[in-house]
Amino acid sequence: MNTIENKIMDEKFKILLADSVNEEITTICDILQETYDVVVDSDMSVDVLKDNKFQIIIAHEVGNAEAGIDFLKKTLELSPESVRVLITDCSDSALLIRAINEAKIYRYIKSPYSPTELKLVLKSIKEYLLLKKENDKLLLDLKKLFTGTVSAITDALDGKNPYIFGKSRRVAFCAIKLAEYIGLSDEEVGKIDIAGLLHDIGMVGIPEKVLNKAGILSPEEKMITKQHVENGIKILEDIKQLKDILEIIKYHHEQYDGNGYPFGLKGEEIPIASRIIAVADAYDGLISNRSYRKGFSHEDAIKKLKERAGTGLDPKLVDAFVKVMDKSLDEFRAFEEELTKL
Amino acid sequence: MNTIENKIMDEKFKILLADSVNEEITTICDILQETYDVVVDSDMSVDVLKDNKFQIIIAHEVGNAEAGIDFLKKTLELSPESVRVLITDCSDSALLIRAINEAKIYRYIKSPYSPTELKLVLKSIKEYLLLKKENDKLLLDLKKLFTGTVSAITDALDGKNPYIFGKSRRVAFCAIKLAEYIGLSDEEVGKIDIAGLLHDIGMVGIPEKVLNKAGILSPEEKMITKQHVENGIKILEDIKQLKDILEIIKYHHEQYDGNGYPFGLKGEEIPIASRIIAVADAYDGLISNRSYRKGFSHEDAIKKLKERAGTGLDPKLVDAFVKVMDKSLDEFRAFEEELTKL
């Protein structure tokens, strides 16, 4: 509680205060202005919400609870995140139930009330809002820490092979773009991001002499590299929070026509997220240098991808990928450039 | 908000309801019992708090606000985490200020009030409590995800060298024990845990033929392995949330007498967390098999550690480590056993 107590002192929240009669408004303003940034909406037009964000919206309606409830209801659409407070002398329970259910009020203060009471209610609302904010920040911070660390480690692993440095990040980048383009949810896109970073983690088990071989791999060496999928599964399978990510990584070398490995799944049996990673991975493989050839240009890589549509890759996703890379090529080039600086 | 709304439905919170006069208590109980698990404390003894946890404590004192405030104040010590509510007809601001400052009430309900009002206040308290709980759970979950993933990847890296499998986890285990024993804070111990897991991450840059060499390394090969500290710094230095962890890893091969690498720091110039990792790392090196010798027994390893006290290692920490391993050896053996099953 202590850290929150301190933040309550520091942060100046914005309050929108409405009253159609403007009765007592000056008194309330005086009380609140010590701690809050207060804007008065005397015509109750909600227009001010179009250009301003308020954490707290108060309707003060003595003698006219209905007007207050209607006003708070109107604010819902423009400012759903705000906390709504109704101050009124009314205790008609039908009206109060409307205020709760329709105007989604968070707190009701019965008039007459003391300044201390008003301050206490607002302090507790602030505590609630700060907790919510802290929740969001925590999530974001820890997500950054997680992806940052995973990126750093996979970069280091990618660096073991002179031909794949930055691969995990590039694949994640392209897979995210494709996933967003076809309209997957933010949550799905987030999973694809991490799966993109971790899809080749199993390469850590492949001997360097195979990873770094100058020249085309022998059939036996190819068999060895294929084990990276099963290695990856072994590495990550005990982490229960990565279950969804593991499901994506498991199938990233399955092929649309069923000729992939290790399970030989076909078409839509392969999870869509894995099919997305497969397209991004294939593109990255094409544009990257190899010991036996220089990387293809973007145009040639796209041509080659199209040739694989329907055999190795999901044709609809190849289609979408061509479109999305058309729009995102400059951004991708800038991202690649950034990676070379690492 | 929606997920919280759902949780409000699911979770039955416990309320302690106190009233010295027992006036209206039945009515309030009836209202609350639909949604909450209510216990009535009619003698206001706070004894019930010794064996039970309540999320919410309500003092209902019409005509005797003072008694309610005193009761709530008494609950502070036994149940600081509870949210305190005062229901009273009093609006004497001196008393209310006492209630806020001394009894740390979270909400005040003025009697008479409607059932709808009481329910609304309790619903918002529940929302606040659930947010707090979610915050804690989030932190724990993400911490588990982070350490789980880092452990899994470092296990895989450790597995590249037949002589160090499980090393990162064992070093983290021993370092935590030592850090706890000397009384470092939970926060510091948490950092040492992650630093223990990541201290050798830079090994990813060392060629396999050096890592896996059967036999003692040549001076040149030793030089190459020493680069793992600088490699580790490079891998992690851009992750701002790992700044503190990096500071620990940086100095884990410094020696107490100044003969370590890469900076040649001496004695207490070396951060205590790095000196702790150094002791745990040295112990692990001694008990592990090498291509040129079998691992030492615990007793012999401790003897060898003591020989290094004051030269390579901090003598006070070696002392503490000997004591802590005396107590924790069985637990360590069980942990080692678990690792071999991976």
Side-chain angles (χ1 to χ4, degrees):
Chain A
M1 202 92 146
N2 265 337
T3 55
I4 297 226
E5 292 280 348
N6 293 337
K7 282 182 202 156
I8 289 174
M9 298 299 152
D10 297 341
E11 190 147 346
K12 204 152 190 179
F13 273 39
K14 279 183 87 176
I15 296 181
L16 179 63
L17 179 62
D19 187 327
S20 59
V21 218
N22 292 326
E23 192 186 278
E24 281 180 55
I25 275 284
T26 331
T27 327
I28 300 183
C29 260
D30 284 350
I31 297 170
L32 298 180
Q33 256 159 0
E34 292 165 24
T35 326
Y36 303 90
D37 190 357
V38 186
V39 172
V40 174
D41 184 2
S42 53
D43 61 0
M44 300 187 86
S45 64
V46 308
D47 280 349
V48 65
L49 287 174
K50 285 178 188 144
D51 307 309
N52 295 281
K53 278 201 145 202
F54 294 91
Q55 279 94 359
I56 304 168
I57 301 175
I58 303 176
H60 177 269
E61 287 290 350
V62 175
N64 192 1
E66 201 128 4
I69 294 169
D70 288 342
F71 170 77
L72 291 174
K73 202 173 155 186
K74 273 200 286 175
T75 66
L76 262 177
E77 203 177 315
L78 282 166
S79 190
E81 292 292 307
S82 305
V83 161
R84 268 157 280 273
V85 179
L86 176 65
I87 307 181
T88 179
D89 56 341
C90 158
S91 11
D92 176 75
S93 71
L95 265 185
L96 285 183
I97 288 168
R98 259 198 63 208
I100 295 168
N101 293 339
E102 294 177 27
K104 303 215 182 297
I105 65 164
Y106 184 79
R107 193 79 73 254
Y108 154 72
I109 300 172
K110 177 108 181 281
S111 182
Y113 53 90
S114 72
T116 314
E117 197 184 340
L118 180 63
K119 282 183 196 165
L120 180 61
V121 168
L122 283 168
K123 186 171 168 250
S124 73
I125 291 176
K126 226 177 149 178
E127 248 172 71
Y128 172 76
L129 287 170
L130 284 169
L131 254 182
K132 268 182 98 165
K133 207 170 153 183
E134 198 169 69
N135 238 339
D136 293 344
K137 199 181 157 296
L138 257 177
L139 244 181
L140 198 72
D141 250 30
L142 282 160
K143 224 196 119 188
K144 272 193 201 154
L145 168 64
F146 181 73
T147 48
T149 308
V150 168
S151 303
I153 298 177
T154 52
D155 280 348
L157 285 170
D158 287 352
K160 298 286 275 186
N161 178 333
Y163 296 109
I164 60 174
F165 180 72
K167 182 186 174 198
S168 305
R169 295 222 209 186
R170 285 192 306 268
V171 169
F173 181 97
C174 293
I176 289 174
K177 286 283 168 199
L178 177 51
E180 282 172 345
Y181 183 78
I182 64 166
L184 296 191
S185 69
D186 285 356
E187 203 189 332
E188 278 302 307
V189 173
K191 285 176 188 165
I192 286 171
D193 183 8
I194 296 167
L197 289 173
L198 284 173
H199 76 286
D200 270 353
I201 189 72
M203 285 292 183
V204 67
I206 308 301
E208 273 167 28
K209 65 174 192 291
V210 178
L211 274 185
N212 296 338
K213 186 181 173 187
I216 294 179
L217 298 181
S218 72
E220 200 203 336
E221 288 164 339
K222 266 192 187 149
M223 282 278 285
I224 294 175
T225 65
K226 284 184 175 181
Q227 288 165 3
H228 82 276
V229 178
E230 276 138 323
N231 289 347
I233 298 171
K234 259 186 241 148
I235 293 172
L236 303 174
E237 68 189 348
D238 287 333
I239 306 167
K240 77 172 203 301
Q241 297 102 326
L242 285 184
K243 202 169 160 274
D244 295 348
I245 312 289
L246 187 65
E247 284 304 299
I248 304 175
I249 295 174
K250 247 179 175 168
Y251 306 110
H252 82 275
H253 275 293
E254 299 298 324
Q255 298 207 5
Y256 198 71
D257 58 11
N259 291 319
Y261 63 90
F263 305 101
L265 297 192
K266 208 173 183 163
E268 313 220 333
E269 289 170 1
I270 310 161
I272 184 153
S274 307
R275 281 179 272 146
I276 288 172
I277 300 276
V279 173
D281 197 15
Y283 175 75
D284 193 71
L286 288 164
I287 60 166
S288 300
N289 296 323
R290 290 286 181 263
S291 58
Y292 50 92
R293 65 151 169 80
K294 233 182 102 21
F296 292 102
S297 69
H298 170 71
E299 291 70 24
D300 288 344
I302 291 289
K303 219 175 281 170
K304 295 251 170 206
L305 268 195
K306 283 180 178 166
E307 286 167 20
R308 290 194 214 164
T311 54
L313 303 169
D314 180 338
K316 283 197 204 106
L317 289 176
V318 170
D319 252 20
F321 187 72
V322 172
K323 283 176 196 145
V324 89
M325 285 309 280
D326 238 18
K327 287 199 293 184
S328 309
L329 194 58
D330 286 347
E331 201 188 328
F332 179 65
R333 293 263 157 86
F335 180 77
E336 263 188 305
E337 184 66 29
E338 273 306 301
L339 284 180
T340 60
K341 287 182 199 151
L342 290 177
Chain B
M1 202 91 147
N2 265 338
T3 55
I4 297 227
E5 293 279 348
N6 293 338
K7 281 182 201 156
I8 288 175
M9 299 298 153
D10 298 340
E11 190 147 347
K12 204 151 190 181
F13 273 39
K14 279 184 86 176
I15 296 182
L16 179 63
L17 180 61
D19 186 327
S20 59
V21 220
N22 292 326
E23 193 184 276
E24 281 180 55
I25 276 284
T26 331
T27 328
I28 300 183
C29 260
D30 286 348
I31 297 170
L32 297 182
Q33 257 161 358
E34 294 165 24
T35 326
Y36 303 90
D37 190 358
V38 186
V39 172
V40 175
D41 184 2
S42 52
D43 61 359
M44 300 187 83
S45 66
V46 307
D47 280 348
V48 64
L49 287 174
K50 284 178 188 146
D51 307 309
N52 294 281
K53 277 201 146 200
F54 295 90
Q55 279 93 358
I56 303 168
I57 302 175
I58 304 176
H60 177 269
E61 287 290 350
V62 176
N64 192 3
E66 201 127 4
I69 295 169
D70 288 342
F71 170 77
L72 291 174
K73 202 174 155 187
K74 272 200 287 175
T75 66
L76 262 176
E77 202 177 316
L78 282 167
S79 190
E81 292 293 306
S82 306
V83 162
R84 268 156 281 272
V85 179
L86 176 64
I87 307 181
T88 180
D89 57 341
C90 158
S91 9
D92 175 75
S93 70
L95 265 185
L96 286 183
I97 288 168
R98 259 198 63 208
I100 296 167
N101 294 338
E102 293 178 26
K104 303 215 182 300
I105 64 164
Y106 183 79
R107 194 81 73 253
Y108 154 71
I109 300 173
K110 176 107 180 281
S111 183
Y113 54 91
S114 72
T116 314
E117 197 185 338
L118 180 62
K119 283 184 196 164
L120 179 63
V121 168
L122 284 167
K123 186 170 169 250
S124 73
I125 290 176
K126 226 177 149 177
E127 249 172 71
Y128 173 77
L129 286 170
L130 284 169
L131 254 181
K132 268 184 95 162
K133 206 170 154 184
E134 199 169 68
N135 238 341
D136 293 344
K137 200 182 157 296
L138 257 177
L139 244 181
L140 198 72
D141 251 30
L142 282 160
K143 224 197 119 186
K144 272 192 201 154
L145 168 64
F146 180 74
T147 48
T149 309
V150 168
S151 303
I153 298 177
T154 51
D155 280 349
L157 285 170
D158 285 354
K160 299 287 275 186
N161 178 332
Y163 296 110
I164 59 174
F165 180 72
K167 183 187 173 196
S168 303
R169 294 222 209 187
R170 286 192 305 269
V171 169
F173 180 97
C174 293
I176 289 174
K177 287 282 168 198
L178 177 50
E180 281 172 346
Y181 183 78
I182 64 166
L184 296 192
S185 69
D186 286 355
E187 203 188 333
E188 277 302 307
V189 173
K191 285 176 190 165
I192 286 172
D193 183 7
I194 296 167
L197 289 173
L198 285 174
H199 75 287
D200 270 353
I201 189 71
M203 284 292 183
V204 66
I206 308 301
E208 274 167 27
K209 66 174 193 294
V210 178
L211 273 185
N212 297 337
K213 186 181 172 186
I216 294 178
L217 298 181
S218 71
E220 199 202 338
E221 288 164 339
K222 266 194 187 147
M223 282 278 285
I224 293 175
T225 65
K226 284 184 175 181
Q227 288 164 3
H228 82 276
V229 178
E230 276 138 323
N231 289 347
I233 299 172
K234 260 185 240 147
I235 292 172
L236 303 174
E237 68 189 348
D238 287 334
I239 307 168
K240 76 172 203 301
Q241 297 103 324
L242 286 183
K243 202 169 159 275
D244 295 348
I245 311 289
L246 188 65
E247 284 304 299
I248 304 175
I249 294 173
K250 246 178 176 169
Y251 306 108
H252 81 276
H253 275 292
E254 300 297 325
Q255 297 206 6
Y256 198 71
D257 58 10
N259 290 319
Y261 63 88
F263 306 100
L265 296 192
K266 208 173 183 164
E268 314 221 331
E269 288 170 2
I270 311 162
I272 184 153
S274 307
R275 280 179 273 147
I276 288 173
I277 301 276
V279 174
D281 196 14
Y283 176 73
D284 193 71
L286 288 163
I287 61 166
S288 301
N289 296 324
R290 290 286 182 263
S291 59
Y292 51 90
R293 65 151 168 81
K294 233 183 104 19
F296 292 101
S297 69
H298 169 71
E299 291 69 24
D300 288 344
I302 291 290
K303 219 176 283 172
K304 294 251 170 207
L305 268 194
K306 283 179 178 167
E307 287 166 19
R308 291 195 214 162
T311 53
L313 302 169
D314 180 338
K316 282 197 206 107
L317 289 176
V318 171
D319 251 19
F321 187 73
V322 172
K323 283 176 196 145
V324 89
M325 286 309 279
D326 238 17
K327 288 200 294 186
S328 310
L329 194 57
D330 287 346
E331 201 188 329
F332 179 66
R333 293 262 157 88
F335 179 78
E336 262 189 304
E337 186 65 31
E338 275 305 303
L339 284 180
T340 60
K341 289 183 197 149
L342 291 178

